[in-house]
Structures are given as structure tokens and as C-alpha cells.
Amino acid sequence: MNILLIGSGGRENALAWKMSQSDKLSKLFIAPGNAGTANFGTNVPLNPNDHTAVCNFIVDNNIDMVVVGPEEPLVKGVHDAILADERTAKIPVIGPQAEGAKLEGSKEYAKAFMMRHNIPTARYLSVTKDNIAEGVAFLRTLKAPYVLKADGLAAGKGVLILNDLAETEKELQSMLNGKFGDAGNTVVIEEYLSGIELSVFVLTDGKSYLILPEAKDYKRIGEGDTGLNTGGMGAVSPVPFAGEEFMKKVEERIVVPTVDGLRNDNIPYKGFIFIGLMNCDGDPYVIEYNVRMGDPETEVVMPRIESDLVELFEAVANNNLGSKKIAVSKQTCCTVMMVAGGYPEAYEKGNEITGLDKVNGSIAFHAGTKLVDGKVLTNGGRVLAVSSLGSNKDEALSKSYANLGLVKFKDCYFRRDIGKDLDKYL
Ligand code: AMP
Ligand code: GLY
């Protein structure tokens, strides 16, 4: 099978690595990919939002399946465009059409979906310029901290959590006045959920589903979960506070009603659902849906999956995922992200990375890299995700940290405390 994988981050490197282990894979193309994905296929400079170019590429290269890594092309309708072109309409796409992608593309849409299907989530009110007074009145019924979310995609920056009511009211105004552009034309005000977060991943053909290994990621730049939010600084799977009983609640209260809800609402959905959850005293609540895998969670989820991923994708395409089981390693996988100094604010690109050939016992997934004249250069804030499997968390982490020491680039930074907060649950 020839597969086109869309994306260029650590998630796509992990997906490419995993798919390349399948006997079913003939050729893999990654658009646009990075220096790491080039080890598993051919990088192609294709813009996923240029739908004509995507369809032409599928035809010209005999592509049998398209796997979409990031949310943006899905929200912008790449799957719909492939279906609409009669030359490519029969080519399966892993990743929902634009309607299903609204679960991530619009917080209001996701909240309304959860309400309709009785899926546990924080209480909320959706506010536009037309009902600010109602929004302020709702805020005043809540206790601090206050949660404001821009409805649309805002590059991960659209959520504010504030302690002061007056400041929250001011921020609500400024979001509605364009602080996050059009993404903030509608703002979702939410009750604050207190607990510990984790990410649960589901693969669905729209009817049946498989639950993939869960993971916890580390979003803040600083140790002890301090400082600015990032795309993710590391991840651990499995999550020790997500035991069998908790995961059963997740399945019964969230996964089943989500998949059934999509079907009952006539929303076609083939692909991943990433459910951001809060564990509140043993009960799961949905914080958000994403319509893709997480990054860096994919870099710990893929190494734990023992099943053939391409075979599972094929089952999604053929509507027979219900006949498949997923085999998952009992080992722990940890990843630590190496980032460029300054990230998530201004940082340099184009610095040479050395020592990748010395990595042993870990996998260095490339997140933001590019290949220039045979050299691997930094090409993003998050540069490499160094993942390791071990019989326990500490063993996995010590492998990653040992290998991190061998890889070098200018002003490299990483957190030294990934997974430390989990000790109390072990
Ligand atoms: P999101 O962009 O929806 O992932 O939100 C960013 C982060 O804000 C989440 O990962 C949570 O840590 C936090 N968050 C979002 N909604 C809530 C909530 N209702 N209660 C507590 N924390 C939240
Ligand atoms: N790691 C969180 C995300 O991918 O959105």
C-alpha cells in the first residue's frame, strides 16, 4: 500500500516510524515531513491546504491511503476535498471530514455535542458580543479560577485561566474585541475543573473503536509545571492514576457516548479522537476533544502499540475495526522534548544538530528539523523528542536522559523533571 502522511512534527515522525514497520506498506510519502521522517519515506513539498495539488499527488503517485497528522488540514476540509474529486473519492483518509473536525475547531460545537450526548464536562456558557451581560452574570456565579476559551483554533493560545474576576471580565471583552482574531468571536466561559489531566486516544471507523494507550503530557516550559505553555515538553505512558476502574469509566461515560453520538448525529468520522480529560477525584470529565493524535503523546503511544498500525488503518477504511484488537506493550514509554533556547517565545532556527548517530536504546523522533546538504538543522521550537521504553518509568526516563546528553545543538533546553509528579501514584 502507498500512503501519504500529512504533517511535519514529532507526531508524524512517530507515525511514519510505526507505519514503516508494517509489511503492508510499500511507499510512504510525507508532506512536508522533516529530517526524521526522511528515514522512513520520501518527503514531498506539498501544501495540504492546496486541495487540487493534494488530489493530483494522490493520482500521480498511486496513493492508496491518506493519513492526516495535524488538525488544521482537517478543519480546512482536506478529507472533504479528496471525497469531492471523483479521481480520489475512493481513497480512504484517516482523519475526519470538516464537520467532525469541528469537535476541535470549535469549542462551542464540542460543548454542545457533549451536552447533547450527556458526556461529563465542565458547565459553560457561550458568549458573543450580543450577550456579554449574560456572560458576566454567568462568571459571577462561578468560583475562581475562571476559564475563558476562544471558540476557534488559536494555535494553542486561546485558553485563559484567571484568578481575578474583574480581570476576567476585562479579558472577556478583549477576546470578543479580537485579541485572538476571529477565533475569539465566540468565547466559551467554563467552570474550572480541579484534578489531574491525561490524554486518552481512540481510533474509530465511525461505528466501532479501539482505545489506544493513554498518556500524560507536560505542557509548561519550566520544571515543576511553571512558566509559559508550550506544545508539550514530554510525555509518559501508561498513566499510573488511570487504572482499570478509571479507564472503564472513561470508556462507558465518554468513549461510547462520543462514538455513538457521532453516529446518531450523522457525523461521519474515521480517524483518531484525542480526548483531553481531567481526573477529578476518580471521575473523568472532558476538557477538550482533538481530532488527531497528541504531540508529544504520539511519541510514547506508538512505541507501546504492538499491533500493525497500517492494518488497523485498513480496518478503519473498511468499516471493520470492530473485528480488530489492539496489542499494547506493558512497558512504560517516556519522551523528553529537546527545544530551542527561548521557546515558546523567540528562538533561533538553522543550528546544526550533532550526535544523533550516537543515540542508543532510545528513539530520537524529529519534531522541528530539516535536512540541508546532508546536515540535520533545527527548524522549530520543539526540535527532538527522545523516547524510550523501559520496564518502569524510571528505567525509561534514564535511557532518554542518557541519550539526550549525547545529542547537541546550540542553546538546547529540556525539562529534567518529566514524569516526576507521577511517583506519588506508583
Ligand atoms: P485546551 O486548549 O482546551 O487544551 O486548554 C488548555 C489547558 O487549559 C488544558 O490543558 C487544561 O490544563 C486547562 N483547562 C482547560 N479547561 C479547563 C477547565 N475547565 N478547568 C481546568 N483547567 C482547564
Ligand atoms: N500535547 C497536546 C496536544 O497535542 O494538543
Side-chain angles (χ1 to χ4, degrees):
M1 194 186 305
N2 296 333
I3 297 183
L4 170 63
L5 169 65
I6 291 176
S8 65
R11 167 183 48 218
E12 287 72 29
N13 193 169
L15 288 169
W17 170 82
K18 181 68 187 158
M19 288 194 290
S20 73
Q21 294 164 16
S22 172
D23 291 339
K24 292 183 176 273
L25 184 73
S26 311
K27 282 194 203 151
L28 178 64
F29 296 93
I30 311 97
N34 62 36
T37 62
N39 295 320
F40 305 103
T42 308
N43 289 342
V44 288
L46 182 63
N47 172 3
N49 298 322
D50 181 344
H51 295 159
T52 310
V54 171
C55 292
N56 289 342
F57 186 89
I58 292 171
V59 174
D60 294 345
N61 294 279
N62 296 315
I63 297 297
D64 302 298
M65 178 184 281
V66 179
V67 178
V68 185
E71 67 281 9
E72 198 219 39
L74 295 167
V75 171
K76 292 195 169 154
V78 70
H79 188 159
D80 310 67
I82 293 168
L83 281 172
D85 187 322
E86 61 183 28
R87 299 172 303 158
T88 54
K90 293 210 161 61
I91 303 300
V93 179
I94 304 299
Q97 289 145 253
E99 182 67 24
K102 281 194 199 160
L103 281 183
E104 177 164 1
S106 164
K107 307 253 186 217
E108 183 187 29
Y109 180 92
K111 290 301 261 190
F113 177 87
M114 287 184 257
M115 289 296 128
R116 225 168 26 248
H117 301 293
N118 285 314
I119 295 166
T121 187
R123 284 198 300 136
Y124 79 106
L125 183 77
S126 228
V127 182
T128 64
K129 278 191 167 158
D130 297 332
N131 66 337
I132 297 182
E134 205 188 327
V136 169
F138 179 67
L139 270 177
R140 290 179 184 172
T141 68
L142 301 176
K143 285 201 286 272
Y146 305 98
V147 183
L148 300 179
K149 298 185 171 181
D151 175 59
L153 293 181
K157 297 196 171 73
V159 176
L160 299 179
I161 299 184
L162 301 159
N163 278 311
D164 183 72
L165 181 62
E167 192 192 345
T168 308
E169 291 178 11
K170 234 171 65 202
E171 283 293 348
L172 173 64
Q173 279 286 356
S174 91
M175 284 169 87
L176 291 168
N177 284 332
K179 176 175 180 153
F180 297 112
D182 288 347
N185 287 347
T186 299
V187 174
V188 171
I189 302 174
E190 258 186 40
E191 181 182 37
Y192 182 82
L193 294 171
S194 171
I196 178 155
E197 266 181 88
L198 75 156
S199 309
V200 169
F201 302 98
V202 174
L203 179 66
T204 183
D205 58 7
K207 191 174 62 176
S208 303
Y209 62 86
L210 290 174
I211 299 182
L212 312 185
E214 77 288 351
K216 180 175 193 301
D217 83 338
Y218 292 80
K219 290 207 168 87
R220 303 293 195 92
I221 188 73
E223 289 175 9
D225 291 326
T226 54
L228 294 173
N229 252 322
T230 71
M233 297 296 292
V236 177
S237 176
V239 176
F241 59 81
E244 219 171 286
E245 194 189 341
F246 179 77
M247 289 305 288
K248 192 160 169 265
K249 290 182 192 170
V250 171
E251 182 165 9
E252 287 172 357
R253 298 179 192 176
I254 294 167
V255 175
V256 170
T258 298
V259 174
D260 287 352
L262 287 165
R263 206 179 49 238
N264 291 333
D265 289 351
N266 290 317
I267 302 169
Y269 201 110
K270 286 177 187 287
F272 294 106
I273 310 174
F274 159 177
I275 310 172
L277 288 178
M278 194 69 89
N279 177 339
C280 302
D281 285 329
D283 288 316
Y285 289 82
V286 178
I287 295 178
E288 61 169 353
Y289 286 115
N290 296 302
V291 298
R292 52 176 172 85
M293 285 297 293
D295 195 352
E297 290 98 324
T298 310
E299 292 94 304
V300 294
V301 170
M302 289 303 141
R304 290 193 63 220
I305 296 179
E306 291 170 341
S307 308
D308 181 328
L309 186 63
V310 176
E311 204 177 299
L312 297 182
F313 285 164
E314 228 176 15
V316 169
N318 297 332
N319 295 315
N320 67 352
L321 193 62
S323 69
K324 297 284 172 190
K325 288 212 159 33
I326 182 166
V328 172
S329 159
K330 290 221 169 352
Q331 289 197 296
T332 296
C333 191
C334 296
T335 197
V336 181
M337 194 62 86
M338 302 179 80
V339 307
Y343 173 81
E345 297 185 284
Y347 57 84
E348 285 181 17
K349 286 185 186 177
N351 292 315
E352 188 177 356
I353 305 169
T354 58
L356 283 165
D357 52 332
K358 300 199 184 100
V359 172
N360 185 9
S362 300
I363 317 160
F365 290 121
H366 293 224
T369 68
K370 68 175 174 187
L371 207 50
V372 177
D373 299 332
K375 287 184 180 161
V376 180
L377 306 183
T378 66
N379 192 39
R382 294 192 297 168
V383 175
L384 294 164
V386 181
S387 297
S388 317
L389 283 162
S391 56
N392 56 44
K393 174 173 70 73
D394 287 346
E395 189 184 305
L397 281 168
S398 63
K399 285 187 198 172
S400 283
Y401 282 115
N403 279 306
L404 278 161
L406 304 174
V407 179
K408 308 239 181 296
F409 58 88
K410 185 171 168 247
D411 297 334
C412 161
Y413 167 79
F414 54 87
R415 274 179 62 169
R416 291 175 188 277
D417 68 337
I418 299 304
K420 275 220 175 98
D421 60 327
L422 298 176
D423 285 338
K424 60 177 177 282
Y425 301 100
L426 288 167

